[in-house]
Amino acid sequence: MSQELDYRSHWVAAGRLSRREFLGRATAFGVSATFANSLLTSAARAQGPVRGGILKAGHNGGSATDSLDPATFVGAVMGTFCYCWGEYLVALAPDLGLENRLAEEVGSSKDAKIWTMKIRKGVEFHNGKTVTAEDVVATLERHADAKSKSGALGLLKSIDAIKANGDEVVVTLKDANADFPYLMADYHLIIQPNGGKDNPAEGISAGPYKMSVFEPGVRCGGERFANFWQSDKMGFADQVEILAINDTTARISALQAGQVHMIDKIEPKVVHLLKRSPNLKVEAVSGPTYYCFNMFCNTPPFDNNDLRMALKLAIDREEMVDKILGGYGTPGNDFPINASYQLFSDDIPQREFDPDKAAFHYKKSGHSGSIHLQVGETGFPGGVDAAQLYQQSCAKAGITLEVKRVPNDGFWSEVWNKQPFSNAYWSGRATQDQMYSTAYLSTADWNDTRFHDEKFDKLLIEARAELDQDKRKNLYREMAIIVRDEGGLIVPMFAQDIVAISDKVGGYVGGRSGLMDYRALVKCWLMA
């Protein structure tokens, strides 16, 4: 019986038998609908990519202030849409290696200070122009300019010179960096005609989809680009669309109603309900994603390290992992790195909830009165509940924490990196150097704790040039301890990203964060 059903499931995938007829046959055999659908899903995936249809995702993190300028990208909506229309020099592979995209070859001098990237020939922009080395140079120049306010600015500070040499781009660094190619995979660094200097928000690159609709905070989408250079590998749907749905309940409802085919940022407390849906697959992805509370180190009262230490000791991490994550995560240790990164040091002592020590440091800080924390659900799922737990644990240390809930819309433009104490999440980066350079280097535009430490900056630069892995690991360990003990970052938990996918979607294989590392729309397809 099972062999016959398995055989017939492949008939459905090949279009020789209707889904209704197959399910009717399965019912006659006494097989549950869940099992029958699982056979159809497996058979369809075995058939390989299917072209056609409109593939839709419902995402948290959309805002009315969103822009198509890659320098400004923040949040999951723009972080997903960028891979639909944008093309990059390189991309992070599932095994944490690098996949060559527009950079056909990447090489360096022996001292890792001069990097040469050979640009792939014959790749076309959406406007019909050919991608050139000059476009790449202009792109890097724009993002390296402080006026661009690019989220990649901190990564590019070490560049001394960029030039085009035929079909090659030559980058000279001020200091050696063995991880330089990984920096080129940053999602802000979409290669644009003339680097986007003429119109950075035009939405033109060389990705699998041409931008067709963009309504900030509502929806965005694209149509398949007929001349995409790698159409056999991605871009299978005729169209892709992202709906910005910041409310968790609304996202789930959209998925269950078939309005979208996949959603992200599911709260752990509703996972058991979603798993009851026979046509949905729920996945928890372990990786570098962390939830945090950020204090500006240069703004009173957070410019006092005793106060910062008091707030770090006054948070009950185990309780948050249990009650906010439902066990879908691990306790954080007030630095942004976990075991998902290479060269992670697992011997750094775990910071524990200690209200007595918190009270000691709070008294030593000399501060009195309330401390104000601004939180939004779009900051991270369960953010408001987490803040309330934090408020309760602070009270045990004699610290009065006032929690203000802020609107989801505008959170990433008006609260994050703007207010001195707020919640946020980071999806992590490919390497420790990239994570630290993006958010903790003194000169980084996205330094959302206003952490400025000369010793840390020097260690970061030293680690980039260190080719001995053991020595490099020790440097990263020292940096982690500095951020942990002196920075403004509170990391109560590293969270598994919980996502849900319809059984109508083929090609889904997971990743380190989000929906296939935010690339599900370009790599998946709708099954026939």
Side-chain angles (χ1 to χ4, degrees):
M1 177 266 290
S2 62
Q3 286 183 335
E4 180 181 344
L5 281 180
D6 183 57
Y7 180 67
R8 289 177 183 269
S9 69
H10 288 274
W11 280 14
V12 177
R16 296 170 57 194
L17 184 70
S18 74
R19 185 184 185 91
R20 182 185 294 274
E21 289 172 325
F22 174 80
L23 293 175
R25 186 70 174 172
T27 301
F29 279 127
V31 171
S32 70
T34 300
F35 181 71
N37 278 311
S38 71
L39 288 177
L40 289 177
T41 300
S42 298
R45 285 174 177 157
Q47 286 293 116
V50 177
R51 296 191 180 276
I54 304 175
L55 187 60
K56 300 181 179 182
H59 271 293
N60 174 53
S63 173
T65 58
D66 285 340
S67 165
L68 282 173
D69 178 359
T72 68
F73 286 171
V74 63
V77 171
M78 301 313 297
T80 298
F81 194 40
C82 66
Y83 294 115
C84 296
W85 65 271
E87 188 55 284
Y88 296 80
L89 290 167
V90 294
L92 187 66
D95 63 358
L96 301 186
L98 284 178
E99 171 191 347
N100 289 339
R101 304 294 303 162
L102 293 180
E104 192 173 41
E105 297 175 9
V106 180
S108 76
S109 58
K110 289 183 179 180
D111 62 0
K113 289 185 69 174
I114 300 175
W115 289 85
T116 302
M117 297 174 285
K118 183 179 180 181
I119 305 306
R120 195 179 299 275
K121 294 182 179 179
V123 178
E124 187 178 311
F125 282 123
H126 299 149
N127 61 4
K129 295 181 179 179
T130 300
V131 178
T132 67
E134 286 77 13
D135 294 311
V136 174
V137 169
T139 296
L140 297 181
E141 285 177 343
R142 187 173 81 86
H143 287 272
D145 184 348
K147 295 179 182 178
S148 73
K149 299 290 184 182
S150 174
L153 180 61
L155 305 178
L156 306 180
K157 286 285 187 179
S158 64
I159 292 179
D160 187 47
I162 316 168
K163 67 176 182 180
N165 182 18
D167 60 355
E168 293 182 338
V169 173
V170 181
V171 179
T172 302
L173 305 179
K174 298 172 186 175
D175 303 284
N177 190 347
D179 280 347
F180 176 76
Y182 281 92
L183 304 186
M184 297 298 97
D186 184 83
Y187 72 100
H188 300 91
L189 298 179
I190 290 176
I191 305 304
Q192 297 178 275
N194 194 30
K197 291 181 178 180
D198 301 320
N199 184 359
E202 194 171 13
I204 292 178
S205 184
Y209 291 94
K210 292 178 65 174
M211 191 275 295
S212 60
V213 59
F214 181 63
E215 300 174 20
V218 181
R219 67 186 181 120
C220 49
E223 298 176 349
R224 185 195 294 140
F225 179 39
N227 295 333
F228 177 54
W229 70 277
Q230 204 181 34
S231 59
D232 59 325
K233 301 292 185 182
M234 59 182 71
F236 304 112
D238 289 337
Q239 299 177 49
V240 293
E241 185 175 15
I242 301 169
L243 300 183
I245 311 175
N246 292 331
D247 182 78
T248 302
T249 302
R251 274 199 310 282
I252 292 172
S253 297
L255 179 65
Q256 292 175 325
Q259 296 170 354
V260 297
H261 301 104
M262 57 187 80
I263 61 173
D264 68 345
K265 293 290 181 288
I266 296 169
E267 292 188 31
K269 63 185 179 183
V270 300
V271 168
H272 69 287
L273 298 175
L274 267 181
K275 284 186 174 180
R276 295 176 187 172
S277 301
N279 299 323
L280 301 178
K281 179 182 180 182
V282 180
E283 285 202 355
V285 182
S286 296
T289 298
Y290 62 93
Y291 296 170
C292 56
F293 296 104
N294 293 326
M295 303 174 284
F296 284 1
C297 296
N298 63 354
T299 304
F302 310 106
D303 56 349
N304 184 298
N305 196 41
D306 278 300
L307 181 72
R308 298 198 297 270
M309 183 59 69
L311 290 169
K312 293 173 183 179
L313 292 165
I315 197 163
D316 192 332
R317 301 158 202 272
E318 295 287 352
E319 181 182 40
M320 286 202 181
V321 170
D322 179 45
K323 294 183 178 179
I324 303 301
L325 299 183
Y328 288 95
T330 57
N333 203 15
D334 299 337
F335 63 97
I337 307 300
N338 68 355
S340 68
Y341 287 90
Q342 296 176 347
L343 306 181
F344 170 71
S345 294
D346 59 6
D347 61 341
I348 298 175
Q350 174 64 51
R351 178 161 287 145
E352 305 287 350
F353 174 48
D354 193 328
D356 292 333
K357 284 187 178 179
F360 168 80
H361 284 283
Y362 182 66
K363 182 178 180 180
K364 188 178 177 184
S365 74
H367 180 75
S368 62
S370 301
I371 293 173
H372 300 273
L373 171 64
Q374 298 193 33
V375 295
E377 280 297 311
T378 198
F380 61 76
V384 174
D385 289 341
Q388 291 170 346
L389 288 177
Y390 192 14
Q391 186 179 52
Q392 294 165 16
S393 63
C394 278
K396 296 177 182 178
I399 301 172
T400 300
L401 185 66
E402 288 193 8
V403 176
K404 178 184 178 182
R405 182 171 186 170
V406 297
N408 288 328
D409 189 44
F411 177 87
W412 295 109
S413 59
E414 303 300 328
V415 180
W416 173 76
N417 210 14
K418 296 287 179 63
Q419 300 301 324
F421 196 22
S422 66
N423 71 323
Y425 80 91
W426 282 83
S427 297
R429 291 295 186 267
T431 65
Q432 292 199 46
D433 174 72
Q434 190 177 4
M435 186 67 245
Y436 283 130
S437 297
T438 301
Y440 303 97
L441 183 68
S442 295
T443 54
D445 195 53
W446 278 14
N447 186 335
D448 58 5
T449 57
R450 304 298 188 269
F451 176 63
H452 302 143
D453 188 285
E454 290 185 11
K455 182 178 180 181
F456 174 88
D457 292 350
K458 289 178 180 178
L459 288 170
L460 178 59
I461 293 171
E462 184 180 348
R464 289 173 181 170
E466 182 54 70
L467 301 180
D468 184 292
Q469 295 293 75
D470 290 334
K471 291 180 180 178
R472 201 176 194 199
K473 181 177 180 178
N474 286 332
L475 291 170
Y476 284 141
R477 184 183 188 279
E478 190 174 352
M479 289 160 55
I481 291 173
I482 291 174
V483 172
R484 174 183 181 270
D485 293 344
E486 299 176 34
L489 176 67
I490 301 173
V491 183
M493 47 196 163
F494 280 86
Q496 293 181 336
D497 273 355
I498 306 175
V499 301
I501 310 99
S502 165
D503 65 355
K504 294 180 181 179
V505 175
Y508 193 90
V509 295
R512 292 176 83 215
S513 62
L515 290 159
M516 282 181 68
D517 298 324
Y518 302 94
R519 294 170 175 83
L521 287 178
V522 299
K523 291 189 175 183
C524 293
W525 56 87
L526 285 171
M527 298 188 294

